[in-house]
Amino acid sequence: WKRISPALGAYFVTGNHEEFSDPTKYLDAISNAGVRVLNNERVTLDGLDIVGVHYGDSVRPERLRSVLQGAGLDRGRASILLAHSPHGLKIAEEEGVSLQLSGHTHGGQLLPFTWLIRRVFREYAYGLNRFGKLMIFTSSGCGTWGPPMRVGTRPEIVLIEFE
């Protein structure tokens, strides 16, 4: 990771697996690799606000709203919310977020979870969708949980280019 040097930096928030135990050593390793851990905070890069909310706070509506309100988003400027799970879309939209980037679903990874994920997250389980004024992109990611395999879903690393 240290050899990857994007012009505006690399940013990270925790997912559910990082929060199973004390993530301190894990987060220190990520920071030492040159990736900035966003601890429920906003950074502004070239006129773009990026807010990172850790998983445990992003799935608790009152915490998500509190973090977003405390971030001081400028509704006149584009913003990205990094939140591991595609939860809290109504709150993100109400607080003026332009684009939410999430993962968590693994695209279902294998049957019957592909069906279950669609039932729980509906159209927000995968891909680019709209929720009111909010755009939401959910990636199936490249990792797995449980069995190290995928059936009916593809792993991916997504490159998003802004103009």
Side-chain angles (χ1 to χ4, degrees):
W1 287 110
K2 284 185 177 182
R3 286 184 267 159
I4 297 174
S5 56
L8 299 177
Y11 301 88
F12 176 87
V13 294
T14 60
N16 52 311
H17 293 267
E18 289 84 22
E19 296 184 5
F20 287 160
S21 62
D22 181 7
T24 304
K25 289 182 182 179
Y26 182 83
L27 295 176
D28 287 346
I30 289 170
S31 293
N32 290 335
V35 176
R36 179 163 174 193
V37 176
L38 292 178
N39 292 304
N40 296 342
E41 63 185 311
R42 171 184 57 94
V43 294
T44 301
L45 306 167
D46 199 24
L48 172 69
D49 285 337
I50 299 177
V51 179
V53 181
H54 290 301
Y55 175 79
D57 293 317
S58 70
V59 296
R60 294 179 24 222
E62 70 285 351
R63 282 294 302 141
L64 176 60
R65 188 175 302 280
S66 175
V67 170
L68 291 177
Q69 287 176 347
L73 291 173
D74 179 346
R75 291 177 185 261
R77 209 170 30 215
S79 59
I80 297 174
L81 170 60
L82 304 179
H84 179 69
S85 178
H87 280 99
L89 304 181
K90 184 176 190 311
I91 294 169
E93 189 225 11
E94 289 172 353
E95 296 302 325
V97 173
S98 306
L99 171 66
Q100 179 171 326
L101 300 177
S102 295
H104 183 64
T105 67
H106 300 264
Q109 188 172 325
L110 50 101
L111 288 170
F113 300 107
T114 49
W115 174 82
L116 180 62
I117 289 298
R118 287 277 176 199
R119 295 276 302 171
V120 171
F121 293 103
R122 302 181 328 271
E123 65 268 30
Y124 310 107
Y126 177 75
L128 181 64
N129 292 282
R130 181 175 290 283
F131 183 93
K133 294 179 181 177
L134 172 70
M135 295 299 297
I136 168 82
F137 181 79
T138 306
S139 169
S140 66
C142 60
T144 59
W145 62 268
M149 62 185 221
R150 288 179 180 248
V151 177
T153 64
R154 294 178 184 222
E156 65 182 0
I157 296 175
V158 177
L159 173 64
I160 300 173
E161 294 186 62
F162 296 99
E163 296 181 2

